[in-house]
Amino acid sequence: MSQIPPRSSHLALSRRSLLRTGAAAAAASLLPVRGLLAQTPLVIGAIYVGPRDDFGWNQSHAAAMDILRDVPGVTVVEEENVAETNAVTQTMESMINLEGANLILATSFGYYSPFVVDLASKYPEVQFRHCAPLWNPETDPVNAGSYFSYLNQAHYVNGVAAGLSSPTGLLGFVAAKPVQTVLSNVNSFLLGARSVNPDAMVRVIFTGEWSMPVREAEATNALIDAGCDVIGCHVDGPKVVIETAEGRGVRSCGHNADLSPLAPNGFITGAESKWETVYTSYAAALAAGEAPPNMISGGYHNDMLRNTAFGAGATAEAVAAAEAAIAGLKAGTPIYAGPLNDNRGNQVIAGTLDNYAPELESMDYLLDGIIGSTT
């Protein structure tokens, strides 16, 4: 399992509101679920650590809930800006006792223990699922569980498109912290770029925080000043990164949500988790009278990822290569084909690894070709 640190734990409980309305987008893939749910009322609650329209992590889940909201028989309740404190316990109990929630989706890392674990024990008739690979079948309640995606696969596609859209081959990356999930995305971004441009380089700057707009703007400007002509990113809400790059006339790649409206001239594509695949499967299981799976994980092969629609910053050659890369990932083409060295000269991968290989879960290095340091 990957080690995923707390997301945006600094965000204050500034606003709490149950949201019952919102835009709904029907998806053709939901038609089988519609039939199952036609006569089955379900209440599904989603809890976000920040605002649901943050152009980032929270918005990625909220967009999926908007799709689920359109399924007949399903009632969606949401609460945003819920801190990773006892506040999440209060929110979950409110959803259960006042809204009649059958299923709680807790989307922030710090919600799990002790909050989700304790509430799952207290309410065994309610299902709880948490977005991080933390559920332990030996110790945790059977009505709890986890789900997560291998977003590095979509960052690999970002890198392919960036490598062919960059005039210089020098790419920049604004990153939060040098932990496994972030390092995996940076390294995959490099390997995607080098798959189409062997001379491509990535310069990375770590801001040290999951959400720090001032530092993210400073890092973006510093990378551009150093000659980077495409900027990728992994921070909770990369709105500032994309807007800063666009303002400097530099291309960009997104992370978590559709950021294309922020960069009409330079946006290339973005890495997104497709949470609606998980959420509609949960609803279908409940409608069938079954408990949802305790653990769901995946990537392109099981429809848990997508890349944002290509923007004006992507060249035609880049679009074609990125689409081919997606097809390859769906078919199992490996991203990490060794031997590979880190950027300090040490061999870190000897052979070829499957895209879900456990060795990748302990990644603590930057690959050769990346300018930057984990310390």
Side-chain angles (χ1 to χ4, degrees):
M1 299 301 178
S2 62
Q3 296 298 312
I4 301 179
R7 293 181 178 278
S8 300
S9 58
H10 63 283
L11 289 175
L13 181 60
S14 58
R15 182 163 63 100
R16 298 178 61 184
S17 60
L18 287 174
L19 305 174
R20 288 182 170 279
T21 61
S29 62
L30 301 186
L31 290 176
V33 183
R34 289 173 182 274
L36 284 171
L37 299 178
Q39 303 299 322
T40 307
L42 297 174
V43 180
I44 300 177
I47 307 170
Y48 315 123
V49 74
R52 72 190 304 278
D53 57 352
D54 66 347
F55 283 99
W57 175 257
N58 299 291
Q59 185 167 316
S60 72
H61 292 278
M65 295 304 289
D66 281 342
I67 292 174
L68 187 59
R69 193 194 308 277
D70 199 50
V71 176
V74 171
T75 297
V76 169
V77 294
E78 299 170 283
E79 188 161 355
E80 57 186 346
N81 294 317
V82 179
E84 295 170 321
T85 65
N86 194 50
V88 71
T89 298
Q90 297 171 5
T91 295
M92 288 190 288
E93 293 212 284
S94 174
M95 288 180 169
I96 294 167
N97 295 321
L98 300 181
E99 308 295 334
N102 315 95
L103 168 65
I104 299 290
L105 302 171
T107 67
S108 192
F109 183 90
Y111 289 163
Y112 190 66
S113 182
F115 311 111
V116 166
V117 173
D118 288 350
L119 264 288
S121 297
K122 183 176 180 180
Y123 296 97
E125 74 283 5
V126 178
Q127 295 292 325
F128 296 79
R129 296 295 180 270
H130 175 257
C131 192
L134 296 181
W135 182 72
N136 185 336
E138 297 180 356
T139 59
D140 295 346
V142 295
N143 57 322
S146 298
Y147 59 98
F148 67 103
S149 67
Y150 287 78
L151 197 59
N152 73 293
Q153 296 179 20
H155 275 280
Y156 175 83
V157 177
N158 278 4
V160 172
L164 288 173
S165 300
S166 165
T168 67
L170 180 57
L171 315 176
F173 202 101
V174 180
K177 299 184 180 184
V179 297
Q180 184 273 333
T181 51
V182 179
L183 295 172
S184 175
N185 289 338
V186 180
N187 287 330
S188 297
F189 185 69
L190 169 79
L191 292 176
R194 287 203 158 181
S195 72
V196 295
N197 179 357
D199 295 324
M201 299 286 289
V202 173
R203 182 181 291 274
V204 63
I205 293 178
F206 294 98
T207 65
E209 297 289 346
W210 292 105
S211 180
M212 184 64 76
V214 172
R215 289 186 188 174
E216 291 158 13
E218 292 173 347
T220 305
N221 280 316
L223 290 169
I224 295 170
D225 291 342
C228 300
D229 55 20
V230 175
I231 305 297
C233 53
H234 179 164
V235 293
D236 263 9
K239 181 173 184 286
V240 167
V241 173
I242 302 301
E243 288 181 329
T244 301
E246 181 78 357
R248 295 283 304 270
V250 169
R251 293 180 172 92
S252 60
C253 292
H255 172 73
N256 273 340
D258 180 357
L259 301 167
S260 59
L262 304 175
N265 298 314
F267 188 77
I268 296 175
T269 184
E272 297 185 49
S273 297
K274 198 173 178 183
W275 299 125
E276 60 265 33
T277 297
V278 178
Y279 294 168
T280 54
S281 75
Y282 286 168
L286 289 171
E290 302 170 354
N294 291 102
M295 179 68 75
I296 295 180
S297 65
Y300 259 111
H301 84 283
N302 59 351
D303 199 32
M304 286 185 61
L305 294 177
R306 64 169 155 253
N307 276 78
T308 313
F310 297 100
T315 64
E317 184 183 16
V319 172
E323 290 177 340
I326 292 171
L329 290 168
K330 289 180 178 178
T333 301
I335 294 174
Y336 290 86
L340 294 172
N341 291 346
D342 66 19
N343 65 1
R344 295 182 294 182
N346 305 304
Q347 186 178 93
V348 288
I349 295 177
T352 297
L353 297 178
D354 179 85
N355 289 334
Y356 303 97
E359 292 92 332
L360 299 176
E361 302 303 320
S362 58
M363 183 175 289
D364 60 358
Y365 49 80
L366 292 166
L367 289 175
D368 179 39
I370 297 177
I371 303 166
S373 173
T374 60
T375 57

